[in-house]
Structure formats: structure tokens, C-alpha cells
Amino acid sequence: MGQSKVTPLPSNLDLAGKTAVVTGASAGMGLETARQLLARNCDTLILAVRNTTKGEACAQELLNNPTIKAKAKCPVVKVLPLDVDRYESVQSFAKCLQKEVPVVNILVLNAGIARLNMERAPTGHERCLQVNYLSNALLLFDLLPNLYSSAEKSGFATRVTWVGSRRHDGGGTFESAPPAPGTSILNRLDSDERSSVTTRYADSKLLCAMFMYALAPRLDSSKIVLNMVCPGMVSTGMSDFLPWYGRVLAGALKVVKGARPVEVGGLLIVNAAVVAGVEGHGRHFSDKEIMEVSEYIRSEAGQAVQKTLWEETLQEMREITSLPAEIS
């Protein structure tokens, strides 16, 4: 069964005077999101990328895009290094961003991975857990003061959109194999025994959703609007890590499911980032619609996992950074 049709963004959407940051911006939906923001007159765009050489080539590609090149005002496109495998890179990026960019109006947390085999990040954590969840949590905590001050300087709430996945909805291995009371949630995802290509990505996205649901009520939504969005199945290079036969199967699935062009994926991210209203604060969007909190997350077992996850995440972050007052 194909995916539903997506309606266009408002024709009068104008981001003149805005500064946006997109992580994982050197390919796929990150690069496309960057292009669409610039096409709607975003003044300054920060491409946060692992490979700065590739990032500079992407910046030039964006500036040479006919739609963007035809604009009366040439936008500023900057490339800053961000390796979400490493905590120290996340913190260096946050410090550099605050130094070079006085106001951030839009932050898109797009960087993410899926992996076939069990891999460890330099932090020692399983890589999907590190890249998809922990590094994004650290980046948010380190940037919160800047995001609040940006709202005060601009007079508008800073928008933060995190790219999630509907695959978190089923509860993953946490529902199929509930953790015993007192079990570490982070250690569970770090475990070689629990790590599986069929669940690793979905479990990491479940943690992202739980963290977003826990963090959002602690934020002042008049200053920071935080949401999450799943753009559905999109034709990107996300499955390139698979062996050839896996890529063939993934390609067939994309045909059967009607995978969307990358332009549609970018459109849905931009919609969540700049079109959706404050009613979307602390909510997960599926396409353009707000999802109900999943049955598993609402359950007693899910709430217990979310509470443990929040406490463990804060404990890990305290060893790395100073948490903002409203969080600690």
C-alpha cells in the first residue's frame, strides 16, 4: 500500500531574516531541507556536517541552485564540523555555533544512521544509540541557553524539529521483551545480545520520542517550540550500508510502499520546523498530522522506561556538561 499524498507548503511562506541550522546536511533529506529553507528566503544557513570538505561542496551546490541563485539577496551558507559519533565534537560545535551565530531561529536535528552490524562509537556506546539519541540530547542541552536567548533577541519562539520515525510506535524490543525493574535502559541498547539490525534503529528512535516527550514540558513553549517528525519512507541513501542483496530488497520495498521523493521528505521536515503551530510543541508529527502518543509509551511499562531513560540520560549528561537550570 502506498503512502498518502502530501499537500504543498503555503505559497506565501517567507523565511527572510531567519537563521537555520541543519545537522546531517551533506546528503539526503538534510541537504534537501537546507535547499528548501534557502528557497524560501532563509538568510543564513548553517550546514552541520561530519565531512567539511563534502559540506563545502554542498554549500556551493546550494548557492549555484537556479532558484536560490535567482534570489535578490544572496544567502549566507556556512559549514561547521559536527561528528555526532563523538561527544567532544558535539560540544565543540555548540560552542562554535554560539560564538559565530548570535541568533538561531530554526534548528533541524536530522543526523541519524542505521547499521547492519553491531558497531561501537568512540564513546563506547552502540552507534545508533550514540548518533540517533545521545548526541542529540547533549546538543539540545548545550544549546538551550542560546535557543532561549535567540527567542528573546528575535521576539519569536525558536523552532526545534527532530527527525524521528513512526517505527518507534510499536515499542520495539522494550514491549516484546520488557526490561526487568531496575534494568538500565542505555545498557540494554548497548548490549551485544540485544542488538539486532531489525530492532536497533527502531529502539533508538523510541528513545528519541520518549526523551522529547519528557523534555518538552520542561521548556517554555513561548520561547522554544520542540517537535518531532517522521517523513515516511523516502528515497535516500539510508539503506546504502546494506550488502547488495539487502539493497535490492530495500529497493523493492520502496517500490511496493511508494517511497517518496527526497523533495517530499524535505517538505515535511520544513512543515514541522516552520509551519506547524505551537500546538505541536512536544508532539510527534506523522507527515503533517500530529500522532497520538503510542499505546506503549502511554502504558505503565512504557512510562517506567521513559522515567528511567530520562534519569539515566541526565546522569550521563552531567558527566559531560553543565545542565540548564530548568533541566537539572
Side-chain angles (χ1 to χ4, degrees):
M1 186 175 72
Q3 302 179 90
S4 60
K5 187 176 180 180
V6 175
T7 56
L9 295 173
S11 59
N12 62 347
L13 182 60
D14 189 350
L15 302 178
K18 304 293 185 185
T19 295
V21 179
V22 181
T23 71
S26 62
M29 287 191 295
L31 181 58
E32 175 59 23
T33 298
R35 185 194 68 79
Q36 293 195 28
L37 292 170
L38 290 175
R40 288 165 177 83
N41 299 323
C42 182
D43 275 9
T44 303
L45 181 70
I46 308 300
L47 304 180
V49 299
R50 183 195 303 264
N51 184 329
T52 53
T53 300
K54 185 177 180 181
E56 293 292 353
C58 290
Q60 197 57 53
E61 175 187 334
L62 290 169
L63 292 171
N64 288 336
N65 180 279
T67 300
I68 298 165
K69 205 170 183 178
K71 296 291 180 184
K73 181 180 178 182
C74 181
V76 174
V77 181
K78 293 184 178 182
V79 176
L80 293 181
L82 173 62
D83 181 355
V84 283
D85 264 325
R86 303 172 182 274
Y87 281 142
E88 59 267 28
S89 179
V90 173
Q91 293 193 287
S92 293
F93 170 79
K95 290 176 182 176
C96 184
L97 185 68
Q98 292 175 68
K99 181 180 179 181
E100 294 198 16
V101 185
V103 173
V104 173
N105 306 110
I106 303 160
L107 171 62
V108 177
L109 301 175
N110 167 74
I113 61 168
R115 282 295 178 266
L116 180 63
N117 299 314
M118 175 69 171
E119 298 178 10
R120 297 279 176 192
T123 60
H125 288 294
E126 188 277 321
R127 281 196 73 202
C128 285
L129 173 63
Q130 183 66 54
V131 170
N132 297 348
Y133 175 60
L134 287 168
S135 287
N136 280 307
L138 175 61
L139 184 58
L140 277 172
F141 284 152
D142 275 359
L143 286 181
L144 275 182
N146 190 28
L147 301 180
Y148 271 118
S149 67
S150 293
E152 291 166 1
K153 291 173 184 175
S154 68
F156 298 96
T158 304
R159 305 296 301 256
V160 181
T161 290
W162 194 343
V163 179
S165 171
R166 284 189 283 259
R167 290 181 61 188
H168 86 271
D169 195 42
T173 59
F174 289 95
E175 184 170 30
S176 60
T183 300
S184 166
I185 304 305
L186 298 181
N187 287 350
R188 178 186 171 103
L189 266 69
D190 276 333
S191 168
D192 291 318
E193 296 176 0
R194 288 288 180 189
S195 186
S196 163
V197 66
T198 58
T199 60
R200 195 180 299 123
Y201 177 81
D203 283 349
S204 70
K205 290 299 187 179
L206 173 63
L207 267 56
C208 295
M210 286 181 163
F211 180 82
M212 189 268 298
Y213 287 135
L215 175 61
R218 293 171 164 85
L219 303 178
D220 180 351
S221 61
S222 70
K223 300 289 179 64
I224 298 176
V225 173
L226 168 67
N227 61 35
M228 190 166 280
V229 61
C230 174
M233 182 177 286
V234 180
S235 292
T236 68
M238 189 73 171
S239 58
D240 288 353
F241 68 94
L242 295 169
W244 70 266
Y245 52 86
R247 294 195 298 273
V248 170
L249 290 173
L253 182 62
K254 289 176 182 179
V255 172
V256 171
K257 292 289 187 180
R260 292 165 168 155
V262 69
E263 293 81 6
V264 176
L267 179 155
L268 290 168
I269 295 172
V270 172
N271 177 76
V274 297
V275 178
V278 70
E279 69 277 1
H281 176 66
R283 306 301 298 274
H284 198 305
F285 285 81
S286 175
D287 296 351
K288 289 186 176 182
E289 303 300 320
I290 294 176
M291 294 176 63
E292 290 297 323
V293 179
S294 76
E295 184 177 349
Y296 172 71
I297 294 178
R298 295 197 311 268
S299 71
E300 183 178 351
Q303 284 297 292
V305 169
Q306 180 172 304
K307 182 175 184 294
T308 301
L309 172 68
W310 177 257
E311 292 171 350
E312 285 189 13
T313 303
L314 292 191
Q315 180 179 348
E316 173 128 349
M317 296 300 120
R318 285 191 187 101
E319 296 176 2
I320 304 165
T321 191
S322 298
L323 295 179
E326 64 268 35
I327 302 302
S328 59

